Amino acid sequence: MFSSHFKKLMTCLLTLVAVLALMAGSIAAADAQSTITVLHVNDVHARMEPFAPATDAPLVGGMANIAAKVFAIREEQPGKVLVLSAGDMIHGTNIANLFGGRPMIEAMNLIGFDAMALGNHEFNYGQEALLALQEKALFPFLGANITNPDGQPYVKPYIIKEINNIKVAILGFSPQETPIAAHPKNVEGMTFADPIETAKQLVKIPEIQNADLIMALTHIGAEIDRKLAAAVPEIDVIVGGHSHTLIDQAEKIGNTIYVQTGEYGQYLGRLDLTISNGQVVASNYKLLPVDTSLTPVAGVQALIDNYNAGLKDMMSTVVGETYTDLDGARENVRTRETNLGNFIADLMRQAVGADIALENGGGIRASIPKGEVTIGDIYTVLPFDNTLVLIEATGEQIWKALEVSVSNYPEQSGGFLQVSGLSFVFDPNMPAGQRVVSVTVGGAPLDLAKTYKVALNDFTAAGGDGYDVLKDAKVLADTGIMLRDVAVEHFQSVKGINPQIEGRITLKK
């Protein structure tokens, strides 16, 4: 009897042990599978406030609205959210530029960003200023392929973050062309290595190899991102920027997931990942529109409001003096050479070391009377967010551009060019397209076959005002530096200015 009961008891115990073992195995399997949510933006370019992307379009974007999205998702997924920026965040609007990028960094701190890859426009304030902003940031700047003049890493190459028991290696990459995409003086002595070759070396590091998820946070553009995915299959996810590519459905390149959100904070990317034993076993991606239907986060909005109040005060700051009236009258800058047009074109040429500068008269919106000059005066003259671009154009392309410039004369035209580094004569009695009589550069005739370095604003470089002949020219540097900021800095660096009419644009007699 005892033996029979004992056998039954042992059988029950063994069955219970087996069940518990199966349950433990199930629990272990469940524990090995975790989810994380990656929220990301790229190329916001300091659009801190909502804006209309086109005429009569509804307002979109704004950091206080992005914050509203992020906070809501964090509440929904506590402890499971990563917030990332793929670069070009801190420069591009008055509220950021006049305060050296601080407003954007402070807004990102309030939102709780986890990391940012350095974009080329992060360097618009210079190397030292960017490192000072890193000190203020509560999140790391990443740039694995950037080294200082002394050969040391400029910022962290990568970080390891643990989110919901998942170890995530986040590797940062910046564009190799930064020395020409930013103002050269701002990256002097720095090296920007090939991001793909750098990534191949990074994924060999044991700490990165042992991560459950390897993520590249890049500002290198969609074309290179796709090459990176193919060349370094160890990378599970690429969160990209730089090319302003709007990817509404995540791309799969081999086993690598690739995402990017377009530009200016119009969308927040949301990538939900399920990871099991170091493998992504499921993913879901959405582009979340950022619009004014959201309730802005009060703290972020208050930060923006405070800086806007400071911006208003800053506009009255005196930065220099002009010893003569600066002629920016609409009827003049759109039909003839003016001293203000000469001054602005000279600034452009000197700022990027060009042979020639061309500035559309429609970009000059006011005059400045003799006397003290304030930041507000300069911003009134140059109200658009035009940035400096350096191209390489042939003499033939330049000649054709000058034909476009005078094609509507004597009617006012926003495309009428104010020039520096060249002089030209045109005959208004000839048909449009055949009016330019002669062009000289540095006292010598324009060589139609030769290439010249030409400074433009980004509007003209993109073919604005009918300058299609220039938009296909080779871009040597897209600096991202606003023309009005160049003007402010110049006034601050000299005692005063006294530009004159010099006969750069002449009608044939």
Side-chain angles (χ1 to χ4, degrees):
M1 170 99 47
F2 175 78
S3 176
S4 174
H5 282 302
F6 180 75
K7 287 180 179 179
K8 289 180 180 179
L9 179 61
M10 288 301 294
T11 299
C12 289
L13 286 171
L14 289 171
T15 301
L16 179 60
V17 168
V19 170
L20 289 172
L22 287 170
M23 290 177 63
S26 297
I27 292 169
D31 284 347
Q33 182 170 291
S34 295
T35 61
I36 65 171
T37 296
V38 180
L39 303 180
H40 64 102
V41 293
N42 58 272
D43 298 280
V44 174
H45 289 279
R47 292 331 193 255
M48 297 192 67
E49 299 176 274
F51 68 98
T55 304
D56 299 326
L59 296 177
V60 296
M63 294 303 289
N65 291 327
I66 289 173
K69 286 277 189 188
V70 171
F71 288 7
I73 295 168
R74 275 213 192 97
E75 189 172 346
E76 165 200 323
Q77 302 279 353
K80 300 180 181 181
V81 177
L82 268 175
V83 185
L84 304 174
S85 165
D88 275 5
M89 292 291 291
I90 65 175
H91 184 278
T93 60
N94 295 345
I95 192 174
N97 296 2
L98 284 175
F99 294 99
R102 293 195 310 274
M104 181 57 84
I105 293 298
E106 291 174 14
M108 294 172 74
N109 284 344
L110 290 174
I111 292 170
F113 274 74
D114 292 288
M116 178 178 76
L118 291 181
N120 48 294
H121 290 309
E122 258 72 64
F123 290 91
N124 285 357
Y125 303 113
Q127 299 175 39
E128 297 303 319
L130 184 53
L131 289 178
L133 289 174
Q134 166 71 100
E135 293 297 316
K136 295 179 181 298
L138 301 179
F139 53 91
F141 295 173
L142 302 180
N145 58 323
I146 310 173
T147 51
N148 284 325
D150 61 4
Q152 297 302 308
Y154 178 71
V155 291
K156 288 183 178 181
Y158 70 91
I159 58 169
I160 306 291
K161 293 276 293 188
E162 187 162 327
I163 303 292
N164 196 27
N165 298 317
I166 294 294
K167 287 184 179 179
V168 183
I170 305 173
L171 325 179
F173 299 100
S174 299
Q176 190 173 8
E177 70 272 18
T178 296
I180 61 172
H183 198 296
K185 72 176 182 180
N186 291 338
V187 292
E188 188 174 0
M190 302 182 77
T191 300
F192 291 77
D194 183 332
I196 294 176
E197 294 304 314
T198 304
K200 287 178 180 178
Q201 299 305 312
L202 281 180
V203 296
K204 295 177 183 179
I205 297 173
E207 185 180 28
I208 293 174
Q209 287 181 331
N210 294 331
D212 299 299
L213 183 75
I214 299 177
M215 181 181 299
L217 184 60
T218 75
H219 194 84
I220 58 179
E223 181 181 353
I224 301 177
D225 279 326
R226 291 172 182 130
K227 292 178 181 177
L228 173 64
V232 191
E234 294 91 340
I235 296 173
D236 300 297
V237 175
I238 298 176
V239 175
H242 189 43
S243 56
H244 296 218
T245 306
L246 188 66
I247 298 177
D248 56 0
Q249 293 185 345
E251 295 182 13
K252 202 74 181 290
I253 306 164
N255 290 320
T256 303
I257 298 167
Y258 176 50
V259 293
Q260 197 182 149
T261 66
E263 63 186 10
Y264 305 149
Q266 298 177 70
Y267 293 93
L268 177 70
R270 174 175 178 166
L271 177 62
D272 293 297
L273 299 170
T274 302
I275 294 113
S276 179
N277 297 318
Q279 300 291 322
V280 176
V281 295
S283 65
N284 184 57
Y285 186 64
K286 296 178 182 177
L287 282 176
L288 307 177
V290 179
D291 55 41
T292 54
S293 67
L294 301 165
T295 302
V297 171
V300 179
Q301 189 59 54
L303 171 76
I304 294 168
D305 291 343
N306 286 339
Y307 272 108
N308 272 331
L311 187 64
K312 186 177 179 180
D313 292 338
M314 190 173 286
M315 287 295 109
S316 62
T317 301
V318 174
V319 291
E321 183 179 3
T322 174
Y323 302 136
T324 186
D325 292 334
L326 301 177
D327 182 9
R330 178 186 179 93
E331 63 273 18
N332 294 336
V333 293
R334 294 172 181 240
T335 59
R336 69 194 68 175
E337 174 188 354
T338 77
N339 65 343
L340 180 55
N342 287 348
F343 170 68
I344 292 170
D346 286 347
L347 285 181
M348 296 167 66
R349 182 172 59 85
Q350 294 161 10
V352 292
D355 304 306
I356 294 164
L358 308 173
E359 167 66 358
N360 62 309
I364 301 171
R365 310 297 282 195
S367 299
I368 299 177
K370 178 180 177 180
E372 291 183 339
V373 178
T374 67
I375 290 177
D377 291 329
I378 296 170
Y379 277 52
T380 301
V381 169
L382 300 168
F384 304 113
D385 293 340
N386 290 146
T387 58
L388 272 173
V389 177
L390 180 66
I391 65 171
E392 184 177 75
T394 65
E396 184 178 7
Q397 288 174 310
I398 294 164
W399 189 292
K400 288 180 178 179
L402 295 175
E403 289 283 10
V404 174
S405 172
V406 298
S407 61
N408 292 319
Y409 186 89
E411 294 181 14
Q412 295 179 25
S413 170
F416 187 90
L417 295 173
Q418 302 292 320
V419 302
S420 176
L422 67 75
S423 300
F424 72 101
V425 179
F426 74 98
D427 185 349
N429 297 312
M430 294 295 289
Q434 302 175 37
R435 292 182 166 182
V436 176
V437 175
S438 64
V439 185
T440 58
V441 179
L446 179 74
D447 185 338
L448 297 183
K450 181 180 176 180
T451 58
Y452 298 85
K453 292 180 179 179
V454 183
L456 308 165
N457 65 49
D458 59 328
F459 171 75
T460 308
D465 277 334
Y467 286 99
D468 291 345
V469 66
L470 297 174
K471 72 178 183 181
D472 294 327
K474 180 181 178 181
V475 175
L476 299 177
D478 184 358
T479 70
I481 298 173
M482 288 191 179
L483 180 51
R484 57 181 173 239
D485 292 342
V486 174
V488 169
E489 290 179 8
H490 181 79
F491 271 104
Q492 291 173 329
S493 68
V494 298
K495 185 177 179 181
I497 67 167
N498 188 31
Q500 302 293 317
I501 300 294
E502 300 177 351
R504 299 181 186 184
I505 305 172
T506 309
L507 272 68
K508 182 179 179 181
K509 296 179 181 179

